Amino acid sequence: MSLAPSGTGGGPAVIAEVEMNAGADSGATTVRATVVQASTVFYDTPATLDKAERLIEEAVGYGSQLVVFPEAFVGGYPRGSTFGFGINISIGNPKDKGKDEFRKYHAAAIDVPGPEVTRLAAMAGKYKVFLVMGVIEREGYTLYCSVLFFDPLGRYLGKHRKLMPTALERIIWGFGDGSTIPVYDTPLGKIGALICWENKMPLLRTALYGKGIEIYCAPTADSRQVWQASMTHIALEGGCFVLSANQFCRRKDYPPPPEYIFAGLGEEPSPDTVVCPGGSVIISPSGEVLAGPNYEGEALITTDLDLGEIVRTKFDFDVVGHYARPEVLSLVVNDQPHLPVSFTSAEKTSATKSDSPLKPY
């Protein structure tokens, strides 16, 4: 596939090489898909949503039916920030700088559902595209790294919450549970997602294989070369297409110091320093790299997915089918939500149905 300039002039490059529900051809065997490699407008969620719409419009202009965005595109991936931990954190000090950073990060996150979700759904409907979007989800005062799914009718379908944040991510993000590991059966194929390093969890991958995933989305923040090996392995293991989207970021895509400090790099990087080089890629079920990886800049990495390749690949290896040995090895997934507080009494049920003008909690 060739590298073509973006039609918007200042926009990303396009690596040139189904509509879900409304208007979709249920007999289609080819899906045109795009993974977006672009940076968040950090601490500015409305501007990030504006940028997302421009990128979706451009991808659809190239015929894309499925558009996948990176991890934490809406809300931002706090690259370089430690939120005060390992530096000067004082848990008893409410004015600690790390806590103020979290306050700003919390403000940039989105409620699900909420007005930003409504806007994303409208984008999917406007451009008649299936949309997979990485977001920072806010539920009360806890944040989650999530992926949201939308269809071309402009409907929000559901979400996946990252099951296991990595390293310092555990300071700022909560943990998902088994109730949000969806695979959606669409006219484009069966679509689901895992986020960044949870893709390295064999049992979690197997849960998606067990649901028949065909288009496996892997939004990430990992730009290392070894990530490509993981993506190729998953494509071969699952007999599925793997679409991995990462951000391409320079230091200037984040607020300048002292508002935002990059820790652990010795000295503050220059504004043009690349702090995440991307590496977004699309891989076939046979392990062939169809598009990417791109390490050059913001890009729309686009290719056609031949769904017939899935069947051809499964002839040799079907990890949860003819190549499984359930009498020896099996997996049980607890897919129930785990809530810290639940109310079972009839009195509570009655109270929530009262005539009180106050919202029940």
Side-chain angles (χ1 to χ4, degrees), residues 111 113 348 351-361:
D111 295 327
K348 178 61 184 178
T352 60
K353 295 179 180 178
S354 72
D355 294 329
S356 170
L358 298 179
K359 178 182 177 182
Y361 287 91

Side-chain angles (χ1 to χ4, degrees), residues 185-329:
D185 191 2
T186 83
L188 304 186
K190 295 180 180 179
I191 302 174
L194 297 182
I195 306 169
C196 206
W197 276 22
E198 66 176 0
N199 284 284
K200 297 164 71 173
M201 300 171 69
L203 300 183
L204 186 53
R205 296 198 306 269
T206 303
L208 293 189
Y209 303 152
K211 292 186 175 185
I213 192 165
E214 296 170 324
I215 301 176
Y216 184 122
C217 303
T220 188
D222 192 339
S223 59
R224 300 172 304 156
Q225 186 62 41
V226 72
W227 181 253
Q228 303 299 319
S230 290
M231 296 298 96
T232 300
H233 172 75
I234 291 170
L236 289 168
E237 178 183 67
C240 53
F241 290 95
V242 172
L243 285 63
S244 182
N246 194 4
Q247 299 194 31
F248 181 94
C249 306
R250 298 184 186 274
R251 174 61 184 90
K252 63 186 177 185
D253 293 317
Y254 288 80
E259 182 182 2
Y260 193 98
I261 302 295
F262 268 72
L265 298 180
E267 59 184 35
E268 175 70 18
S270 68
D272 287 325
T273 298
V274 175
V275 295
C276 181
S280 302
V281 69
I282 301 176
I283 301 174
S284 80
S286 62
E288 178 186 0
V289 175
L290 299 177
N294 180 290
Y295 296 100
E296 303 302 318
E298 293 199 343
L300 299 178
I301 294 120
T302 301
T303 194
D304 289 336
L305 313 180
D306 173 11
L307 300 183
E309 182 67 14
I310 296 172
V311 180
R312 292 190 287 272
T313 301
K314 299 279 192 179
F315 172 75
D316 294 325
F317 184 81
D318 185 355
V319 67
V320 292
H322 62 76
Y323 221 87
R325 289 292 305 278
E327 77 280 15
V328 180
L329 301 167

Side-chain angles (χ1 to χ4, degrees), residues 146-201:
S146 299
V147 169
L148 309 184
F149 299 86
F150 303 87
D151 76 4
L153 292 177
R155 299 182 299 190
Y156 164 62
L157 299 178
K159 68 187 175 187
H160 164 62
R161 279 182 176 173
K162 195 172 191 177
L163 200 64
M164 177 54 68
T166 300
L168 286 174
E169 293 174 359
R170 298 174 196 171
I171 295 171
I172 53 170
W173 296 340
F175 291 56
D177 61 33
S179 67
T180 64
I181 313 175
V183 171
Y184 295 100
D185 191 2
T186 83
L188 304 186
K190 295 180 180 179
I191 302 174
L194 297 182
I195 306 169
C196 206
W197 276 22
E198 66 176 0
N199 284 284
K200 297 164 71 173
M201 300 171 69

Side-chain angles (χ1 to χ4, degrees), residues 48-72:
T48 298
L49 291 172
D50 290 342
K51 183 173 184 177
E53 181 161 10
R54 292 194 299 270
L55 292 166
I56 293 167
E57 181 180 21
E58 189 163 359
V60 170
Y62 287 91
S64 293
Q65 300 157 284
L66 168 64
V67 181
V68 181
F69 277 77
E71 176 180 13

Side-chain angles (χ1 to χ4, degrees), residues 110-111 113-125 148 150 154 156:
I110 66 172
D111 295 327
E116 294 84 3
V117 175
T118 300
R119 184 176 175 191
L120 288 167
M123 291 180 201
L148 309 184
F150 303 87
Y156 164 62

